[in-house]
Amino acid sequence: MQVADGIDRKIIDLLRENGRRPFRQIAAELEVSESTVRSRFARLSELGILQVVGLADLHSVGTVEGHIAVQVVGGATASLASQLAALPEVRLVAESVGAADLFLDVVFQNLSAFQRFVKIELPAYEGVRRIESMRTGEIVKDSYVWGD
């Protein structure tokens, strides 16, 4: 069953561009009523599909972002994922199918903290077999818009 249709996706895309965009403006752009936008927003929010938040450009404030692929020994994936998800520097933990069992998105205050996590702290967790880290450089594109 599809929970979000084309109109829902367009509402989400417009809010991604500007989370403070008035429902009246969204309705006009999509050629639907304001009450349609309001009710769809409420439904998507209640289902946990949509959350409007303020996001900082982390590169602008001097933090170090990175992506880490983790191979896990045996059946320790779920346990390790839970432990890593509890860390404030870990912004995303996703189970994966392929060369890595887990993918992490992390944010640290500086490069030395990122390196310490990758080289010392993360390998100390039980079940970690192999780590591949990538530090985020210049952002060329950062878009999560569905498009047409």
Side-chain angles (χ1 to χ4, degrees), residues 38-83:
R38 190 173 308 284
S39 65
R40 285 173 178 256
F41 176 86
R43 180 179 56 80
L44 293 168
S45 297
E46 288 171 14
L47 291 171
I49 294 171
L50 177 63
Q51 180 181 15
V52 178
V53 297
L55 295 175
D57 178 355
L58 296 175
H59 282 270
S60 297
V61 296
T63 59
V64 174
E65 295 177 276
H67 310 286
I68 302 172
V70 182
Q71 283 184 347
V72 181
V73 175
T77 303
S79 173
L80 181 59
S82 294
Q83 292 173 64

Side-chain angles (χ1 to χ4, degrees), residues 18 25 50 55 70 75 91 110 135 138 142:
N18 176 1
Q25 184 181 7
L50 177 63
L55 295 175
V70 182
R91 303 301 168 108
N110 54 55
R135 180 174 172 220
E138 184 69 28
D142 186 10

Side-chain angles (χ1 to χ4, degrees), residues 64-71 100 102-108 111-120 122-123 128-137:
V64 174
E65 295 177 276
H67 310 286
I68 302 172
V70 182
Q71 283 184 347
L102 294 174
F103 280 102
L104 312 177
D105 282 352
V106 297
V107 178
F108 290 91
L111 184 56
S112 64
F114 175 72
Q115 290 175 319
R116 183 176 54 254
F117 180 75
V118 171
K119 293 179 177 181
I120 299 167
L122 186 55
V128 172
R129 173 184 289 156
R130 183 173 180 270
I131 299 166
E132 183 176 344
S133 64
M134 296 149 277
R135 180 174 172 220
T136 304

